[in-house]
Amino acid sequence: MDWFFILEKAILIIILFSLTLFIAMYETYMERKVAAFLQDRVGPDRAGPFGILQPLADGGKMFFKEDFIPNSSEKWLFILGPGIAMFTALMTSAVIPWGTELHLFGRTISLQVADVNIGVLYIMGFVSIGVYGIMIGGWSSNNKYSLMGAIRASSQMISYELAMGLSLIAIVMMSGSLSLKDIAAQQSGSLMGIEGFHWNVFLQPLGFLIFLTCAFAETNRAPFDLPECESELIGGYHTEYTSMKLGFFLFAEYVNMFISSTLIATIYFGGYNFPGLHYLPGNWQALAGTAVLFLKILFFIFFYMWVRWTLPRFRYDQLMHLGWKVLIPLAVLNMLLTGAWMTWF
Amino acid sequence: MIEILFYVLSFVSIVTGLMVVFAKSPIHSVLSLIVTFFAIAGQYILLNAQFLAIVHIIVYAGAIMVLFLFVLMLLNLNKEAEPNKDIAMKLAGVISASLLMVTLTGALHGSVVPEATLAVNTSNGLVKNLGQVLFKDFVVPFEISSLLFLAAMAGAVLLGKKHPSQITDSEIQKI
């Protein structure tokens, strides 16, 4: 057993874990500031300069609230629900390539926790079991509104998973690999003479739009936030939750948002590649790649918020119509077009 | 290491499998079945069949069991709502289960336990090899099974559709 290998993976996992939680924490701050900006307000500005300590204050408040478990709930499932939601949100980051390779102390360190050869399917797997946290939490609360929210969430996520998987198939067909490392590395080629600009979004524009829409639906973000639609369902699946259990559900949404932004950046926007990356020497290449990847991720997180505070919520039948009758046929068409293009050109 | 994992996964799958049968609440049965599927997926990974493992999770744990759970939550079955089964139903259940057990013991009794086949071709379950096997060696059975799926889907749509005489005027206006 190579102890250095285990050590470097452990360090990478710890860095990723804390980074994910840190970003999710400051996403809440960013969301408030973006909402305030779009609505011509100031937003939180009391805790620290520019309200920069606001997430800490929010977290502290969450911890000190009474941790209440309803009498008529299924106690263990009620506790399990938020745990599953958080677990599935955090697990997905394991297969994402965060950069090329670092060369330190005579060792080559890959900036990816696990290069499994089924990376894309691994992500689809965790996306598909992510619904259990919401379903179990909503059902075990023994509350009508929670149950409605849980059922909405599960049917929405199952519906949009299909179109998401079909749009990813086109990417897999083009790259010939299910490994996210290969998919990211293949985008370093040149497009129209610009090196490092061979991004999938230019080759798969329709697939990208389908994936983006489905990502919004999978993370239960507006305009698809029907599972927690407050005007009809009070709070949706987390109506009965308080304290840090509620915090886990809300936090899982922000972690999911970060991870799906990462996926969009990695699969469609070149991952760590950018024009001019290959001019940089050795380790700087890996570090600059990671920095650029995080810039892309930040842009997509901002895009999520931009959409949330711009578009009104869909009606439930519109949501189902869009998923089944528009996105799935479009995704199949995209797949056929990709196949035809690959056969003839 | 692998042996310990094998025993842990086997233990988990057997215990949760028993819980599927013995749990009073149908929701608990379904949740234990999901854990069983994860334990079996773990066994696939031990056999180096990563693709099978993840497809097993996506299809069974991610899609089929969600639908099971979905239906059970909508029906909200609990102990009071459980219908009283009469004696004939119980008898039929016991007899059919016993017949299944007789068949299984008969089948397993005569069979020769093969030696551990781990060493034959451990990379068989990887995506590339599986694709070769499915689309080259077994392409006809594969296509026939997909045709069967299509037929089943068409049948389900036909069953789910209302007969034209049952559609009311207000529904026609909606369409």
Side-chain angles (χ1 to χ4, degrees), chain A residues 57-331:
Chain A
D58 285 342
K61 190 198 83 172
M62 281 287 184
F63 271 113
F64 288 116
K65 289 275 177 184
E66 184 192 353
D67 194 8
F68 177 73
I69 296 178
N71 236 347
S72 57
S73 66
E74 292 255 345
K75 196 179 168 209
W76 289 108
L77 293 184
F78 189 78
I79 297 170
L80 191 66
I84 293 179
M86 200 65 189
F87 172 74
T88 51
L90 285 170
M91 279 297 280
T92 326
S93 61
V95 293
I96 291 168
W98 298 93
T100 49
E101 285 159 342
L102 272 179
H103 299 279
L104 283 181
F105 315 117
R107 294 180 56 84
T108 308
I109 301 169
S110 162
L111 289 180
Q112 184 184 22
V113 176
D115 179 27
V116 286
N117 61 11
I118 45 161
V120 175
L121 290 176
Y122 174 91
I123 283 170
M124 289 307 291
F126 269 99
V127 164
S128 65
I129 60 171
V131 69
Y132 282 119
I134 293 176
M135 279 185 98
I136 290 173
W139 179 79
S140 61
S141 309
N142 205 358
N143 174 319
K144 273 178 200 151
Y145 296 112
S146 302
L147 183 65
M148 293 275 282
I151 284 172
R152 277 187 177 189
S154 50
S155 47
Q156 171 180 332
M157 285 170 92
I158 293 173
S159 311
Y160 279 78
E161 225 173 78
L162 290 173
M164 190 182 226
L166 286 174
S167 66
L168 278 179
I169 284 178
I171 292 286
V172 173
M173 280 162 74
M174 281 173 52
S175 62
S177 168
L178 284 168
S179 156
L180 280 174
K181 192 180 191 175
D182 292 350
I183 292 177
Q186 279 170 7
Q187 298 180 66
S188 66
S190 66
L191 187 80
M192 292 186 292
I194 309 172
E195 199 71 26
F197 211 53
H198 195 264
W199 296 357
N200 280 330
V201 64
F202 303 118
L203 309 168
Q204 285 284 336
L206 183 62
F208 164 66
L209 283 179
I210 296 167
F211 187 87
L212 187 72
T213 319
C214 294
F216 273 86
E218 290 291 332
T219 46
N220 291 328
R221 291 282 299 183
F224 304 115
D225 58 344
L226 290 131
E228 41 188 304
C229 167
E230 68 274 5
S231 54
E232 299 167 17
L233 294 180
I234 306 182
Y237 56 87
H238 51 56
T239 303
E240 294 284 353
Y241 280 91
T242 54
S243 185
M244 214 47 208
K245 293 202 194 69
L246 173 68
F248 260 37
F249 269 132
L250 301 181
F251 220 56
E253 181 185 319
Y254 284 95
V255 174
N256 274 328
M257 206 159 90
F258 168 60
I259 295 293
S260 61
S261 302
T262 314
L263 278 180
I264 294 170
T266 308
I267 296 176
Y268 288 98
F269 280 80
Y272 47 78
N273 294 299
F274 63 96
L277 176 71
H278 61 286
Y279 293 122
L280 293 170
N283 279 344
W284 289 107
Q285 209 169 7
L287 292 177
T290 311
V292 168
L293 176 63
F294 271 93
L295 280 182
K296 291 175 187 170
I297 294 168
L298 269 182
F299 170 75
F300 281 105
I301 291 174
F302 169 71
F303 187 73
Y304 263 98
M305 292 164 185
W306 189 9
V307 168
R308 173 169 179 186
W309 298 103
T310 310
L311 292 182
R313 187 180 286 136
F314 273 63
R315 224 171 47 218
Y316 202 72
D317 59 315
Q318 290 171 332
L319 172 92
M320 282 293 149
H321 182 267
L322 180 70
W324 287 96
K325 295 188 182 163
V326 179
L327 288 182
I328 290 179
L330 269 181

Side-chain angles (χ1 to χ4, degrees), chain A residues 14-28:
Chain A
I14 290 168
I15 291 175
L16 262 181
F17 187 72
S18 34
L19 202 66
T20 311
L21 291 179
F22 178 78
I23 288 178
M25 199 165 99
Y26 271 90
E27 267 175 288
T28 61

Side-chain angles (χ1 to χ4, degrees), chain B residues 70-136:
Chain B
F70 191 72
V71 172
L72 285 176
M73 285 178 180
L74 270 179
L75 294 176
N76 208 7
L77 288 176
N78 44 35
K79 255 182 255 169
E80 296 89 60
E82 201 178 344
N84 267 330
K85 299 181 184 83
D86 55 13
I87 193 85
M89 286 278 273
K90 283 180 184 164
L91 209 63
V94 168
I95 289 172
S96 50
S98 318
L99 281 176
L100 181 66
M101 185 166 166
V102 168
T103 320
L104 279 179
T105 35
L108 288 177
H109 186 70
S111 68
V112 187
V113 180
E115 284 293 303
T117 47
L118 252 178
V120 178
N121 190 0
T122 45
S123 59
N124 236 342
L126 300 181
V127 193
K128 213 165 238 168
N129 306 328
L130 202 71
Q132 295 286 349
V133 170
L134 273 185
F135 290 103
K136 278 201 172 138

